[in-house]
Amino acid sequence: MAAGRDTYNRLSLGPSLNANVKEFCLRLAFTCSYAHTADLFAILPLRPQHIARQSPRSYFQPKLSTRNLAHSSHSRMDYKMESYSSFEIEFALTQVPQARVLMVGAGGIGCELLKNLALSGFGEIHIVDLDTIDLSNLNRQFLFRHEHIKKSKALVAKEAAEKFNPNVKIVAHHANIKDAQFHVGWFQSFKLVFNALDNLEARRHVNRMCLAGDVPLIESGTTGFNGQVQVIKRGVTACYDCTAKETPKSFPVCTIRSTPSQPIHCIVWGKSYLLNEIFGTSEDQASLDATEDQENASEIAELKREAEALRKIRESVGTEQFPQMLFDKVFNTDITRLRSMKDMWKSREPPNPLEYKSLVAQASQQFASKDEILKDGQRIWTLEENLVVFTDSLDRLSKRMLKLIAARSEGMPEPTISFDKDDDDTLDFVAASANLRSHIFGIEAKSRFDIKQMAGNIIPAIATTNAIVAGLSVLESFKVLRGDYEKAKEVFLTPFAPQRLLGTDRSRPPNPDCPVCSVYYTSLEVDPSRAKLDDLVEDFVKLQLGYGEKEFAISSDAGLVYDPDLTDNLDKNLNDLGIKQNSFVTIVDEDDDDTFVNVVVNIQEAYVAARSSPYQLLTYVYISKLPDKPIKGLEDGQTPDIPRKPKKTLPILSNGVSPPNGKIAMRSREVDGDGEVPHNDKKRSRPDDAGPPPFKKMKPAERPGEDDIVIIDDDAGTGAIEILD
C-alpha cells in the first residue's frame, strides 16, 4: 500500500487534498507561470485535454464551468465550483506570491503542507526541522525516498518541493527551532507561521514566539485518524495554551526504581533517571512521583543514596573503567540489594542481576557486528546486542560530554545532555538500558523503534489525515493573509463522528486567564557581560514599565529569581541566573489594587559582529550596542500601555428561602476573630421544590430597637440580591 501511494504521489497533489486547493493551485499556475504548464502536468493528475484551449487570463473569466476538470483517471474530484471573483484573483496574483512564510516541522504534515504552499505560489518559504529521515517515515512522508535515510528532513524536503514550483524560493534550516538564532525579531520577518510539529514542548515554544512577535500562527496536528487546524492571532483568537493540555502520565518512583512490571517503567527509568544522573541533571522528575509516606520512606531514602553513588561514578566519564563501573552499579549491585528484600518478592519473581565480564565474553561475536546491529532498529535486540549498544552509546555520549566540558567558559553552568527522540546517542542509550533492565525483571523487551515512540510520546500518524489537515491549513492561511479573522475557523477532522467528517467552529476568543496570551509582551536588549538582575528590576521594571513602589515577582524559565522576600540575586549577572539570549522572564504584579496583567519580557543580547582587523576577513569580535547602560528597553518618550487585571466580583447567593408574603426578617451575622462566620441553620430548599427559588433584594429595615436587621424584599423583581445602604 505504501509503495502504491508513493507512486501515486509522483503524479498527484495527494490522496486527500481538498479539491478547492487543487483548483486554486491549477488556476494560479496557469496565470503566474504559463510557460511551465508542461512541468505542472507532470505533477498534477489533470491532463491538457481536460482544459479548455484558452489564454491564461481568459481562464479566469466569470462563470467558467470547471466540470470538465473532474474526470481525471487519477483523481476523483467530483465537484462543481464557481469561478473566483476578481478580488480573489488579485489576491492570488499579489499577496500570495509576496508572502514570506515559515513552516516549522518537515514530517508527516510538513511534507504535505510544503507541497501545498509551493503549488499555491507562496513567494518565500522557510523550513525548520532538526530531525533526520528514518525508514519508518517513508510510508507517509512522500517527499522522502530510501536513499534519503539519515539525511536532513528540511534539506531533502526543500530539494523535492522545488521541483513542484521552481519559481518559489525555499530556504531550509537543519536546526532546532529553540536555537538562539530563531529569535523574536526573526519570527517577525514572516507574514505567517505554520506549525507542523509532533511534540507539545516545541508547539508551546512557537506559540509563545508568535505571540511575542505578534505574528499569525496556524497550528495543526493529528492523532491517528483525528486532526485539527487552529488560527492563532494575538488579541483576536485563543492561543495554543488557552486550553489545558493533557499532562504526561506520572509513575510512582518506587515502581520505576524498584518494582517495574511493564516496558514503559523501564523506559522511563532509562530516560528520566539513568540518563539524567550520568549526563544531565536530576530535574526531569515530572514523570516520577516521589511522594513520601510511611510505606515507602525508607525505600526512597535508599534510592537517594543510590543517586549519590551514581554522581560519584559520573566523575569517571571518559575513562576505560567507566562502562563497567556504571553497568555493575545499576545492573548488578542495585539489583542484588533489591533481591535481598524478601518481602518485596513474595508475590512476584525476583530480579536476576547481570555480570558484566561474563556477558562481555558471551557478546564477542556481537561486538564484531556492531554497525549492523545499530542499523537495525526495527528488530528486538538480544541480551548480548543490547550490551553492545549500551557500551557503544555510552562511549559516544562520554566523548560528547568531554567536548562540552572542554568548551565551557568560566562561570558558565555545567554542561548537560538531555534526551531527544531524534538524538541517536541518547535514544540508543535509553533503548539498551531499558532492555537490559527489562531482562533483569523478566519484562518483554522492545525494539528501538517502539522505544522511540514510547519515550517520545509519539502517536502513529495516518497519511490521509496529514494530507487533509495540510490542505485545510492552506485554506485558512488565505483568510489570514486577507485579514479575515472573523471568517477563520477551527476545523476538526473526526472520521468516526456520527454526523460528518469535518466539523467547524468559530475561532474562540482569547482566554482572559491564559498565562501565555493574556499578558503584555515587550522586549529588552541586554549586554550579557554587564547586565545584572538589579538593572532589570530598578531601571526597567520600576522605572520604564512604571511599577514604581509596587510589589512584584520576576521568574524565568528556571524558576523564581526575584520577589520582595528574595533579593539575594540582585547582584548576580543575568547569565548566571539562566537569563540568556531569546529567553523570557515574567513579571507578576502582586498588588491587590490597580493590578497589572503579567508582563512577559523577551531578552535579546545587544551585540553586533565586527571584524577584528580589516585584514582578517573571517575573524569577528562582538561589540556591545549599549555603551552607556547594560540594558535598553523602551525608547525615550515611549510609555507602556499595560492592561489591568479585571476585578472579579464574587457572586452573592441566596439562601433558597421563598417566604409566602415575600418578606422575612433576618439578623445579620457577625464575623468572629478568625474570619469565620458562625453557623446559621436556616431552612434550605428541598430537592422536590418546583422551579428555582426567586432571588431577593436586600435592604436595611428602618425599625428602632433592633440591631442590624436586614429585610429581604423581592418586590423589585430584579432577579438578584442587592444590599442597599
Side-chain angles (χ1 to χ4, degrees):
M1 179 177 178
R5 184 180 188 277
D6 183 68
T7 304
Y8 172 72
N9 275 306
R10 296 173 188 268
L11 301 175
S12 72
L13 284 171
S16 304
L17 182 63
N18 188 288
N20 289 357
V21 177
K22 292 186 179 181
E23 177 71 4
F24 181 86
C25 298
L26 181 65
R27 292 172 179 268
L28 186 62
F30 263 87
T31 305
C32 300
S33 183
Y34 190 63
H36 295 284
T37 52
D39 296 335
L40 182 67
F41 289 131
I43 301 169
L44 294 174
L46 308 176
R47 295 294 181 259
Q49 61 267 26
H50 294 145
I51 301 173
R53 301 291 183 180
Q54 342 185 22
S55 66
R57 297 290 177 181
S58 64
Y59 188 75
F60 282 98
Q61 293 301 319
K63 304 303 181 182
L64 176 65
S65 173
T66 58
R67 185 185 296 275
N68 56 342
L69 296 178
H71 301 292
S72 168
S73 59
H74 294 274
S75 178
R76 301 176 181 178
M77 296 186 295
D78 186 15
Y79 68 94
K80 179 178 180 180
M81 186 178 63
E82 294 295 332
S83 297
Y84 289 100
S85 66
S86 59
F87 173 79
E88 290 171 319
I89 297 172
E90 186 69 20
F91 166 77
L93 296 178
T94 57
Q95 294 194 42
V96 174
Q98 294 175 7
R100 185 174 189 261
V101 299
L102 168 64
M103 187 185 80
V104 187
I109 297 177
C111 283
E112 300 280 357
L113 183 56
L114 180 60
K115 169 203 61 182
N116 295 348
L117 295 174
L119 288 171
S120 299
F122 281 81
E124 185 174 341
I125 307 168
H126 284 243
I127 316 164
V128 179
D129 198 309
L130 179 64
D131 202 0
T132 55
I133 300 166
D134 189 71
L135 177 64
S136 62
N137 301 145
L138 303 185
N139 71 332
R140 62 190 181 279
Q141 300 174 19
F142 73 96
L143 295 181
F144 310 139
R145 301 292 182 266
H146 194 277
E147 61 269 21
H148 297 144
I149 291 177
K150 298 301 180 184
K151 293 183 179 179
S152 165
K153 284 186 176 181
L155 297 175
V156 174
K158 169 186 178 296
E159 295 174 0
E162 284 176 337
K163 299 176 183 178
F164 291 144
N165 189 348
N167 297 324
V168 174
K169 179 182 178 181
I170 303 178
V171 182
H173 306 270
H174 179 62
N176 191 331
I177 192 61
K178 294 183 178 180
D179 290 347
Q181 59 178 316
F182 306 126
H183 48 79
V184 172
W186 185 78
F187 271 83
Q188 289 175 328
S189 67
F190 297 99
K191 201 162 188 178
L192 180 62
V193 177
F194 293 89
N195 249 359
L197 293 162
D198 61 354
N199 69 87
L200 183 66
E201 187 179 357
R203 278 190 169 107
R204 282 179 164 160
H205 176 78
V206 175
N207 174 65
R208 195 173 187 181
M209 296 297 285
C210 288
L211 291 172
D214 198 12
V215 182
L217 169 66
I218 295 184
E219 168 66 41
S220 61
T222 62
T223 305
F225 292 99
N226 299 321
Q228 179 182 2
V229 175
Q230 177 186 3
V231 175
I232 298 173
K233 172 65 175 175
R234 190 175 84 182
V236 179
T237 68
C239 79
Y240 183 74
D241 286 307
C242 275
T243 54
K245 302 298 185 292
E246 183 179 358
T247 56
K249 185 177 180 180
S250 62
F251 303 93
V253 65
C254 291
T255 299
I256 298 300
R257 303 267 290 277
S258 301
T259 56
S261 59
Q262 301 175 24
I264 187 61
H265 296 159
C266 298
I267 294 169
V268 171
W269 175 84
K271 170 190 170 184
S272 297
Y273 170 67
L274 186 60
L275 179 67
N276 283 335
E277 293 295 339
I278 302 301
F279 297 105
T281 61
S282 300
E283 296 174 352
D284 189 15
Q285 297 295 324
S287 55
L288 300 176
D289 180 10
T291 304
E292 293 192 26
D293 54 34
Q294 293 181 352
E295 296 181 359
N296 63 12
S298 60
E299 178 63 15
I300 288 179
E302 181 62 34
L303 295 177
K304 290 179 179 178
R305 285 191 288 271
E306 288 183 10
E308 182 62 29
L310 278 177
R311 277 189 281 274
K312 293 180 180 179
I313 293 176
R314 177 175 181 161
E315 298 174 359
S316 64
V317 168
T319 64
E320 292 184 3
Q321 300 80 14
F322 176 60
Q324 183 175 353
M325 290 174 63
L326 180 61
F327 187 97
D328 287 342
K329 174 69 175 67
V330 298
F331 298 128
N332 187 284
T333 305
D334 292 348
I335 303 303
T336 302
R337 182 191 65 82
L338 287 174
R339 187 182 176 91
S340 65
M341 299 178 181
K342 303 298 183 180
D343 293 340
M344 191 180 292
W345 312 110
K346 288 181 178 179
S347 59
R348 69 183 81 185
E349 287 294 325
N352 297 306
L354 296 174
E355 292 287 343
Y356 181 77
K357 292 183 178 179
S358 60
L359 191 56
V360 168
Q362 296 175 22
S364 57
Q365 184 178 354
Q366 284 78 9
F367 275 104
S369 56
K370 177 187 68 177
D371 294 338
E372 288 74 14
I373 296 173
L374 292 172
K375 290 179 181 178
D376 191 0
Q378 303 279 345
R379 180 176 57 85
I380 298 177
W381 296 323
T382 64
L383 177 63
E384 293 77 12
E385 289 172 338
N386 277 297
L387 174 66
V388 171
V389 178
F390 175 80
T391 56
D392 182 72
S393 61
L394 202 57
D395 180 63
R396 284 179 273 150
L397 289 170
S398 299
K399 291 177 179 177
R400 280 174 56 180
M401 178 58 71
L402 292 177
K403 288 182 179 179
L404 292 173
I405 294 175
R408 185 184 67 162
S409 59
E410 186 178 355
M412 297 298 292
E414 184 180 351
T416 59
I417 299 175
S418 58
F419 176 80
D420 190 322
K421 65 181 179 60
D422 299 319
D423 182 348
D424 288 340
D425 297 344
T426 58
L427 178 61
D428 288 344
F429 178 79
V430 170
S433 301
N435 281 337
L436 288 170
R437 188 169 176 84
S438 295
H439 178 84
I440 289 172
F441 285 89
I443 301 171
E444 176 191 7
K446 293 290 183 179
S447 68
R448 181 176 59 186
F449 174 78
D450 291 333
I451 291 174
K452 179 178 181 178
Q453 289 187 313
M454 298 170 75
N457 298 319
I458 301 172
I459 299 174
I462 308 299
T464 305
T465 310
N466 292 336
I468 296 174
V469 166
L472 293 169
S473 296
V474 175
L475 291 177
E476 292 301 313
S477 73
F478 297 152
K479 302 173 186 177
V480 172
L481 291 178
R482 290 195 297 262
D484 292 340
Y485 291 103
E486 293 182 356
K487 297 181 180 179
K489 303 288 186 183
E490 285 191 44
V491 188
F492 304 92
L493 176 63
T494 51
F496 300 108
Q499 296 181 348
R500 57 182 183 175
L501 175 69
L502 291 177
T504 61
D505 198 359
R506 286 186 177 182
S507 294
R508 291 168 290 129
N511 181 0
D513 296 323
C514 175
V516 179
C517 71
S518 66
V519 300
Y520 178 84
Y521 280 95
T522 187
S523 60
L524 177 68
E525 288 185 306
V526 304
D527 180 349
S529 63
R530 297 185 294 148
K532 298 183 181 298
L533 180 62
D534 186 63
D535 298 319
L536 174 65
V537 171
E538 296 295 334
D539 295 344
F540 183 67
V541 180
K542 291 186 177 181
L543 186 60
Q544 295 192 28
L545 294 184
Y547 276 72
E549 299 302 320
K550 280 177 170 286
E551 291 190 353
F552 57 88
I554 300 178
S555 60
S556 67
D557 294 335
L560 184 68
V561 295
Y562 170 82
D563 70 8
D565 298 323
L566 177 63
T567 58
D568 299 339
N569 296 325
L570 288 175
D571 292 332
K572 292 184 179 179
N573 192 285
L574 293 182
N575 268 342
D576 297 336
L577 297 173
I579 303 174
K580 303 176 182 178
Q581 164 76 359
N582 216 30
S583 63
F584 290 90
V585 296
T586 302
I587 306 167
V588 180
D589 186 356
E590 296 183 341
D591 273 3
D592 294 331
D593 298 327
D594 195 29
T595 309
F596 290 153
V597 300
N598 292 355
V599 175
V600 176
V601 184
N602 177 242
I603 304 297
Q604 297 295 320
E605 293 183 355
Y607 277 150
V608 292
R611 273 183 291 192
S612 59
S613 169
Y615 306 104
Q616 295 177 323
L617 299 180
L618 299 180
T619 303
Y620 289 88
V621 295
Y622 291 92
I623 303 175
S624 173
K625 294 190 296 185
L626 306 175
D628 299 328
K629 291 186 177 182
I631 66 170
K632 179 185 177 183
L634 305 177
E635 298 292 340
D636 293 339
Q638 184 180 358
T639 303
D641 185 17
I642 304 177
R644 270 58 173 176
K645 290 183 179 179
K647 292 185 177 180
K648 295 183 178 180
T649 57
L650 297 176
I652 304 174
L653 302 178
S654 167
N655 65 356
V657 178
S658 179
N661 60 357
K663 297 184 179 181
I664 186 172
M666 174 179 70
R667 288 192 178 273
S668 65
R669 296 168 291 171
E670 295 182 356
V671 180
D672 61 21
D674 296 330
E676 297 293 334
V677 179
H679 179 67
N680 184 7
D681 38 326
K682 292 236 178 237
K683 176 185 175 183
R684 299 190 178 275
S685 57
R686 295 168 49 190
D688 57 348
D689 286 345
F695 291 104
K696 308 301 180 183
K697 181 177 180 183
M698 303 180 66
K699 60 185 178 181
E702 299 179 355
R703 293 172 57 185
E706 295 198 24
D707 297 331
D708 299 331
I709 294 180
V710 178
I711 299 298
I712 301 178
D713 189 358
D714 64 348
D715 291 344
T718 59
I721 296 177
E722 184 178 357
I723 300 179
L724 303 176
D725 294 331

